[in-house]
Amino acid sequence: MSTPDTLPSPSDRADLPAYAQRLNEPQTEAVLTTEGPVLMLAGAGTGKTAALTARLAHLIATRRAWPSEILCVTFTNKAAREMRERVGRHIGDAVEGMPWLGTFHSIGARMLRRHAELVGLQSNYSIIDTDDQLRLLKQLIRENDIDEKRWPPRQLAGLIDRWKNRGLNPEDLDAVENEAYANGRGQQFYRLYQERLKSLNACDFGDLLLHMLNILRRHRDVLEQYQQRFKYILVDEYQDTNQVQYLWLRLLAQERKNICVVGDDDQSIYSWRGAEVANILKFEKDFPGAKVVKLEQNYRSTPQILAAASGLIDGNSQRLGKTLWTELPAGEKVRVIGVWDAPEEARRVGEEIERMEREGAPLDQIAILVRAQYQTREFEDRFIQLGLSYRIVGGFRFYERTEIRDALAYLRVIAQPADDLAFERIYNQPKRGLGAKTLEAMQRHARRTQVPLAAASLDLADSDELPARARNTLTGLLAQFVHWREQAEQEAPANLLRMVLNESGYDNMLQKERSGESAGRLENLSELARAMEEYDTLTDFLEHVSLVMDNDARNDGEKVTIMTMHAAKGLEFDHVFLPGWEEGVFPSQRSLDEGGLASLEEERRLAYVAITRARRRCTILHAANRRIFGQWTSSIPSRFVEELPDEVTNRESTMNGGASLWRANWSENEDPFAHVARDAPARGSTRGPGWQRALSGGYDATPKRLAEPGRSAASFAAKPRSDVAIGARVFHEKFGYGTVTDQEGNKLEIEFEQAGTKRVIDSFVKLA
């Protein structure tokens, strides 16, 4: 049973040490209840870090334990540093003697160094990163004759990470888990991967805790050693623990049971990376007699904001329950604004922020929190037009994301075939088997002949300089660009992009990855297509993107923050805008489809987190229409909007009475360009007589589609060398010595002494 030190009366609080002076009574109770299990149920903005830090300082200051006898676990290095600094201010240099204050992974790595031999490793083992992991898995897949396009290494890496987060070894997988990869070979590949890691004396991040869990389970002496060492255990953000972290902590705490966990079941929002809200919900069952201290006094938000958040989260059934309150003035009600469409949503937010800025509100205290990253694009474009400075936190700006840069590179080559940087980015993306040697040959020939990289590629495809497979691949790729350039003159830019992503195989590449990350990247590409619908020509759109990309490099002043709701956890702002509160956007349809009721409750917790980021003003927006895959679609407000208590919300709409009728009619009509994406010609159907002439006749016959707009195709022609003639003896780095037997433009037919007759480009030979 948990027993607190004697709690002081309000008049005696002056006698408390400095680290407890400013705590409220529940916080003080959590600090002074030192013995036995304690659950500090800390609502949003209730000062849980102050209480946890004070508890740690109290244990050391009262000499209940030496710093080295306390295990204090956080989730991020930033949180660990902050706690160390705060405790240091209270107890001075003693904090430097805390070797067991850190993240789960850092502490797991420290333990594993001491006992590595028990799991077949040496103490100097290396920790591989994600790139190394993918390379290793790719090797295993190839060695076992598995089609990596059907069963991508990234998919296997995600499964192994999930298994390790759940504390599962290869032998622990059941039939369902085993079937998750390569038709029943999941267990085999997991075992092969673990064996390969051991042969390399290496482990991945998941192993740092899984190996230690295995050691604690299988070696009683090691477990008892740590149970005796750690007199007290403190855990931050307990609601975010996954299964292996939970099992690891429970083993360490079972002997003394002096474990204090701090968390909020209403803020458990990371199930997609393994977190299980059940861990905090069953704490009292795991540790009977646990003391539950509820921190409910909020120091951040106004009563109106707290009431809205509390009313919403009451809809969840799986929660311990608490009621947040504050002594702050009532403040404004939460505003709920219905707008016509996504562009109006961005315009409305932009106008509101401009007004607030005129009234003296710092831009640094304004945030826009979105459910999915693709939603940021509309706001970025609008803020560029308004000249509003903004920053993207927790990710890249929309146009800086990898998949967006790849898509833009394709479009740039279509609009400007002489754009070597764009062509170099996507000539082998998705993977086409064109490696570094092919690129080197293209670059070398482009420099020698003073032609763009795409034109040099066309030249090489009509020679024996490259292997047959590379030549055929280049021929196919350049044929696609001919086709896309023709389509660019006929189709809307958005439909052209959809065609390119489909016919290039880029969409298919992401779909085969079968991960949450790839799904998000596909959403971003869909949003890029929606952005292009506002432009009449590809050139206009690419010019707009250039202006957007140039926006923030020069401004280091105050900026509006744009970020996802997940990334905003732990932060706070005076003014928060929450756009996109519609069914299918938030709650996310993908989450509901994959997780059902459990996912719905997590989406509601995410809404709770988003609202409680606001200190003074919270504005929620929902749009009646959104354009999805080129088609206008009616949207209905999120169920979360309806769950907000009426007494603390002001609801308004910018739509007129005819909006619903227009919306109903429009949603039934397909966008006039939508058929293009479905009916696009099959890959490889672009070759006609002009293309054949381009491959056989050199650059003088290159189709105009491959030339720079406004510049004749003939200007890209590579001039034949005047010093090489029929009968000349030459040397080629790849084929050796030979004699020129025929010449056509810059192409030479040479009878080589060792390699036989080859067709090569004159810039690749030297006179012998």
Side-chain angles (χ1 to χ4, degrees), residues 16 106 120 226 297 350 736:
L16 285 172
S106 67
Y226 284 108
Q297 182 176 359

Side-chain angles (χ1 to χ4, degrees), residues 221-247:
D221 57 326
V222 178
L223 174 61
E224 291 176 350
Q225 172 189 333
Y226 284 108
Q227 288 178 336
Q228 291 302 313
R229 171 183 290 276
F230 299 136
K231 292 184 176 180
Y232 296 93
I233 298 176
L234 288 75
V235 188
D236 195 14
E237 303 287 7
Y238 191 66
Q239 79 281 345
D240 292 336
T241 53
N242 59 34
Q243 184 72 358
V244 72
Q245 292 163 343
Y246 160 79
L247 294 171

Side-chain angles (χ1 to χ4, degrees), residues 440-473:
E440 182 182 349
M442 291 191 299
Q443 290 173 329
R444 185 168 63 249
H445 183 52
R447 288 193 300 268
R448 288 173 176 172
T449 56
Q450 299 293 297
V451 299
L453 204 57
S457 304
L458 179 63
D459 215 4
L460 288 172
D462 190 32
S463 76
D464 290 322
E465 300 291 347
L466 298 175
R469 180 180 177 184
R471 294 199 305 271
N472 292 336
T473 301

